[in-house]
Structure formats: structure tokens, C-alpha cells
Amino acid sequence: MMRVFSIIIIGSVFVGIGINQFFVPHHFLDGGMIGIGLIAHYWLGVKPGLTIILLSIPLYLLAFFKDRILFYNSIHGLWLSSLMIDYFYQWHTLLLLPPLMSAFFGGAFVGIGIGLMLRGNSATGGSDLLAQLIGKSFGWNVGKLIFAFDSVVLMAGFPIIGVEAFLYSLLAVSTVGFFTTLLTHHNREDGFSFR
């Protein structure tokens, strides 16, 4: 159990650093609930982590009734990743890389973080949780489902961030999807688990 919790903590730190050090300075988006939290932050100035928690409540209620183990594991991921996203915001201007590098490194950090959390049977927010529920029910790859959800959020955020940030966000989300798929794909093939 401690090993799983450690993986969730490490994944949450990766997500928090990836979002704040690489995405926020350039107004890039991620997808899913994190992307919605970032849209709310850029548009309304609210904390993205808090937004993620509030919008994830209905999906966590669904998970509570559909898959209690996933619910209990994921609730820690939701709180920890949201906390890390809001905590690391204070250093969002500490390291300013060019947009292309930020899109790639941010995508790698977030993708590795989400992938680790998924391998620990956890999630960062509602869309990841929904992807896990659908993936378990139909045998679909969770990383690919998350990528599909991310695309929808990106399109919704396009008017807020503009063309340039949108194009870099496409690269960032593709990188997130690649690393998440890589980590979750091996989990399915070799039966590897942190439990």
C-alpha cells in the first residue's frame, strides 16, 4: 500500500511541475480536467487545482458506485495532484524555456506523472477516472481514451489561448498522450502493477 501511495505522490509532483513550469508560463493547455482547470485559470483567474476538484465530484460519485477500489485509490490522486498543481504555481516563472521546449518537456512531465498514477490505479481528476472506468469496462487503452478527451478540451480552449498557444498545446497534449499510453500499454501487456 505504501508503495502505491508513493507512486501517486511522485506522479502528482510530476504533474504539478509539468503544468506550472512548462504550461502556465506560455498559456498552454492540457486536456481533461486539468485542461478545464487551466482554461478557468486563464479566463477567470481561479486556482486550477480547486476547479479540478469541484468539477470531478460527479465523476467520483459515479466511481464510488461502479468501482469502489478505483474510487478509493483515485481520490488520493485527485487531492494530491490538485494540491501539487496549486502548490507549484508559486514557481511558475522560475524557469522560462522557449515554447517548443516547454511543450515537449511539459508534456513529458505530465504524461509520466499521469502514467505513474494510472499504474498505481489512481487518477488526477474526473476525465482520467472516466477513462479508467471505460477502459476497464470495454478493454480499451486508457491512454488513448485520455488523448480523445484531451482533444475535446483543447478545442474548447482554443478561443481563450489563441492560435500560437493552441498549436504548442497540441504538441504538449500529444506528448502527454504518448507517455501515458507508453506507461499504461506496458501495464496491460506484462501484467506489471505497483500493488
Side-chain angles (χ1 to χ4, degrees):
M1 184 64 177
M2 273 310 290
R3 186 175 174 136
V4 172
F5 194 64
S6 298
I7 294 302
I8 294 170
I9 292 172
I10 293 167
S12 297
V13 168
F14 265 81
V15 170
I17 291 171
I19 293 297
N20 288 293
Q21 296 302 310
F22 304 108
F23 286 13
V24 170
H26 298 287
H27 281 203
F28 295 164
L29 288 177
D30 190 15
M33 283 297 174
I34 294 175
I36 294 170
L38 288 172
I39 290 171
H41 175 68
Y42 300 148
W43 192 24
L44 304 171
V46 297
K47 291 184 175 184
L50 180 61
T51 303
I52 293 165
I53 290 172
L54 294 175
L55 294 178
S56 295
I57 290 172
L59 293 171
Y60 274 82
L61 288 173
L62 175 65
F64 181 79
F65 294 107
K66 297 282 279 179
D67 189 337
R68 291 277 169 93
I69 293 172
L70 181 60
F71 169 81
Y72 289 122
N73 288 340
S74 296
I75 200 76
H76 302 299
L78 170 68
W79 285 100
L80 282 169
S81 62
S82 297
L83 176 68
M84 292 300 168
I85 288 169
D86 286 349
Y87 176 75
F88 281 105
Y89 179 76
Q90 61 190 314
W91 295 297
H92 75 280
T93 58
L94 186 65
L95 175 68
L96 188 60
L97 295 177
L100 184 61
M101 290 177 68
S102 289
F104 177 75
F105 285 120
F109 266 74
V110 173
I112 290 168
I114 290 172
L116 286 172
M117 293 176 75
L118 291 173
R119 290 189 74 143
N121 204 24
S122 187
T124 58
S127 62
D128 293 348
L129 186 67
L130 183 61
Q132 283 185 284
L133 289 170
I134 293 171
K136 283 184 175 184
S137 298
F138 297 99
W140 295 346
N141 183 276
V142 175
K144 291 177 183 175
L145 288 169
I146 291 171
F147 183 75
F149 296 154
D150 290 351
S151 300
V152 171
V153 173
L154 270 178
M155 294 307 295
F158 174 75
I160 294 165
I161 62 172
V163 176
E164 184 177 350
F166 175 78
L167 293 174
Y168 284 118
S169 295
L170 287 177
L171 172 61
V173 170
S174 298
T175 307
V176 170
F178 172 78
F179 280 98
T180 304
T181 301
L182 186 68
L183 288 170
T184 58
H185 178 70
H186 290 308
N187 190 30
R188 179 176 299 279
E189 282 188 353
D190 61 17
F192 180 82
S193 175
F194 286 107
R195 288 195 196 171

